[in-house]
Amino acid sequence: MPTASRAKHKFCRRIGQCIWGDPKCPSVKRPYASGPHGKGRRVKLSTYGELLLEKQKLRNHYAISEKQLRIAYAKAKAGEGQAHEKLFRSLEQRLDAAVFRTGFAPTIFAAKQYVNHGHILVDGKRVDRASYVLKEGQTISIDAEKSPAIAEAARKNNATVPGYYEVDLDNLKAVLVRAPQIDEIPVQAKIMSVIEYYAR
């Protein structure tokens, strides 16, 4: 999982595109792997390699560990319903993902920090677990009095918010109005390939 001590866009360089759609990502200007031979290197992946790459895209997009993704897959596989839909939604409805997706944080890493440091409220109560999964109808907000700098930055953010969230920037509140549809979740990873990777 990317950390503060590791280049966060290193994976983007390797695959030739930014997994978060950040126009400032180094992969925009240099869409090839780093190093002296990166530009001319083209590696044909095996079937396993392609599945692994999609799994890495998903894990890096949400900045979660392999263990966290395996646990999410195991939960999605259990019970009724399509595993790929349940997995995708459970990741997208994580609190850190919600803070990032609603534009309250500029990156998924900042969103994790905001949550872990207690700057985010869920239905008016402080929640400091990034893995907390939001339910439909729940509201997230920023405590502007205790976090004025974060509140000011959030109001200036002009991120494109998916249709399953309603955002009130003036009051720094956002509501998960409905569960996201698979095709509207802005993640550049093939979720079925991730399921195939773990099911093999």
Side-chain angles (χ1 to χ4, degrees), residues 2 6-43 53 56-57 60 188:
R6 178 178 169 185
K8 295 180 176 64
H9 291 278
K10 186 175 182 179
F11 183 75
C12 300
R13 286 290 307 278
R14 181 155 71 86
I15 65 174
Q17 64 185 49
C18 182
I19 56 176
W20 301 287
D22 183 356
K24 296 181 181 179
C25 176
S27 66
V28 174
K29 289 186 178 180
R30 299 185 295 279
Y32 46 83
S34 57
H37 306 293
K39 193 170 184 179
R41 185 171 58 198
R42 292 290 184 271
V43 179
L53 180 62
Q56 290 174 328
K57 285 182 183 178
N60 279 275
Q188 300 176 43

Side-chain angles (χ1 to χ4, degrees), residues 104 114 142-145 147-157 169 172:
F104 287 174
Y114 292 178
I142 296 175
D143 190 339
E145 291 185 4
S147 313
I150 291 175
E152 182 180 356
R155 288 193 175 101
K156 293 179 180 178
N157 199 329
L169 277 181
L172 294 174

Side-chain angles (χ1 to χ4, degrees), residues 99-106 154 156-162 167 169:
V99 173
F100 169 52
R101 205 68 80 196
T102 54
F104 287 174
K156 293 179 180 178
N157 199 329
N158 58 354
T160 300
V161 181
V167 178
L169 277 181

